[in-house]
Structures are given as C-alpha cells and as structure tokens.
Amino acid sequence: MNQLPDELYDSIMQEMNQGDNASENEFFKSALKHYECALNLIPIPQTDWEIALHVYTALGDYCFNLEDYPSANS
C-alpha cells in the first residue's frame, strides 16, 4: 500500500479523533460529518489506502450504534 504524506495523514486523524469525541458525547450528526470529512480527504481510490479501513469501520460503527443496519452493512 502507498503511504500518505504526514500532513494529510494528520488531517485525517484529526477528523477521526473529532468524530470519535463527538460520538462519545452523543453528538452523532457532528460525528458523521467528521467521519465523512476524513473519508473525503483520502485520495481516490480510497481502498488503496490503509487508513480507509479505519474510517470505514468508524462509519459502520456509527450506523450500527444508531441501528441503521442496512447502512452499517454496506
């Protein structure tokens, strides 16, 4: 797998951390925005980057916790 530049990786991780913090405090819409922002920062094709696994997992957990099972499964 390719390696992201440090600055881009740090930006993605910052969004992920903000999403995690929002989710822990039950600000779910804010969490979703941060996770989606993190995903949008990953170069296309996103599946070529290891960090995408973490973002997709966070999005799946988010949907599962809100009992949106169809979205969590896709």
Side-chain angles (χ1 to χ4, degrees), residues 11-62:
S11 295
I12 294 167
M13 289 307 301
Q14 181 178 12
E15 290 296 336
M16 291 294 294
N17 290 333
Q18 289 176 341
D20 291 345
N21 289 337
S23 182
E24 288 172 9
N25 291 303
E26 299 184 5
F27 297 116
F28 298 119
K29 287 184 181 181
S30 178
L32 178 60
K33 287 180 184 179
H34 287 291
Y35 294 145
E36 288 176 336
C37 185
L39 185 63
N40 289 330
L41 289 171
I42 300 171
I44 296 173
Q46 293 159 326
T47 54
D48 281 358
W49 304 95
E50 185 176 342
I51 197 166
L53 173 64
H54 303 289
V55 178
Y56 286 127
T57 299
L59 285 166
D61 287 346
Y62 167 85

Side-chain angles (χ1 to χ4, degrees), residues 35 54-66 68-69 71-74:
Y35 294 145
H54 303 289
V55 178
Y56 286 127
T57 299
L59 285 166
D61 287 346
Y62 167 85
C63 293
F64 182 83
N65 288 331
L66 292 179
D68 182 0
Y69 302 122
S71 293
N73 195 36
S74 57

